[in-house]
Amino acid sequence: MARPQKHFTLDEKKAASRIKSKRHYDNISMSISIINALQPQDRGDTCRVSRCVHAAECLHAEFTKFTHPGRLEYIDRVCTAYMKTQDQDIIQNDAKYLGDVLIAMRRHEGDILEVAGLGSEWKAVQDKVTCICTVLSWLEDLLCYAMDGHNVLCDAHNNRGLQYQLYTA
């Protein structure tokens, strides 16, 4: 036996349908707002993170090209160039350039942290920043010795007392 009919006219059926739709929306509206809160607000955030990651990768590629064939060889090359010419500008110019690269990397790192938090993207950029900071600290160490005098740097280099030489020991 079929159920008895509740609504006979077209207007009664439309009113019942509106009531049912409203009740359904009221039941799921809280769920929808929770789901929307957990997702990124707009696709721009995801794009912003990927743009920052890509920019950081480009900067790191530039850094790698600048320090070719490797970080230690690069620092040794700068140290040797200074010892031949006694020109501190060699060290200062490279330190300035790497400082600018580091500032740009830190900006991208901060943007990623702001948008995506401490995720895999931030960690990847953080590793690249650490690499640049290490080389920059080695350059600053060279510059400090160079400011003390050419002989002081040469003695430290010959005794393997420079920061980058201790790193390889």
Side-chain angles (χ1 to χ4, degrees):
M1 180 167 157
R3 264 202 258 166
Q5 204 172 9
K6 285 185 178 180
H7 313 289
F8 297 101
T9 67
L10 186 59
D11 291 333
E12 289 176 340
K13 289 179 183 179
K14 285 183 180 180
S17 178
R18 278 194 295 272
I19 291 170
K20 181 181 173 193
S21 293
K22 183 171 177 10
R23 188 174 55 239
H24 174 72
Y25 179 77
D26 291 340
N27 287 340
I28 67 162
S29 65
M30 184 58 77
S31 301
I32 291 172
S33 62
I34 290 172
I35 290 170
N36 288 339
L38 294 176
Q39 294 176 346
Q41 292 302 316
D42 61 2
R43 298 182 72 62
D45 286 351
T46 306
C47 292
R48 182 176 169 197
V49 170
S50 55
R51 275 194 314 269
C52 287
V53 169
H54 177 70
E57 288 171 354
C58 290
L59 283 169
H60 191 262
E62 189 177 318
F63 163 77
T64 304
K65 191 169 128 181
F66 186 74
T67 59
H68 181 75
R71 298 178 302 163
L72 295 170
E73 293 86 357
Y74 161 74
I75 292 293
D76 201 45
R77 189 172 63 236
V78 171
C79 184
T80 305
Y82 169 76
M83 289 191 298
K84 286 180 183 175
T85 63
Q86 298 184 20
D87 184 11
Q88 291 181 14
D89 289 341
I90 294 171
I91 303 169
Q92 286 177 337
N93 291 340
D94 285 4
K96 168 108 176 68
Y97 173 76
L98 289 180
D100 292 343
V101 171
L102 181 63
I103 288 169
M105 286 288 282
R106 292 268 187 199
R107 187 178 65 243
H108 295 306
E109 179 189 28
D111 288 347
I112 292 169
L113 183 61
E114 179 183 317
V115 174
L118 294 173
S120 58
E121 297 95 349
W122 177 82
K123 178 66 174 138
V125 173
Q126 174 63 26
D127 292 343
K128 291 170 176 54
V129 166
T130 302
C131 182
I132 294 170
C133 284
T134 302
V135 173
L136 192 56
S137 72
W138 292 342
L139 278 175
E140 290 170 350
D141 182 55
L142 285 179
L143 190 57
C144 287
Y145 277 105
M147 287 178 178
D148 283 343
H150 178 261
N151 293 336
V152 175
L153 180 76
C154 290
D155 290 342
H157 183 266
N158 292 337
N159 295 330
R160 298 195 54 80
L162 297 172
Q163 200 176 44
Y164 81 95
Q165 293 172 324
L166 298 174
Y167 179 80
T168 59

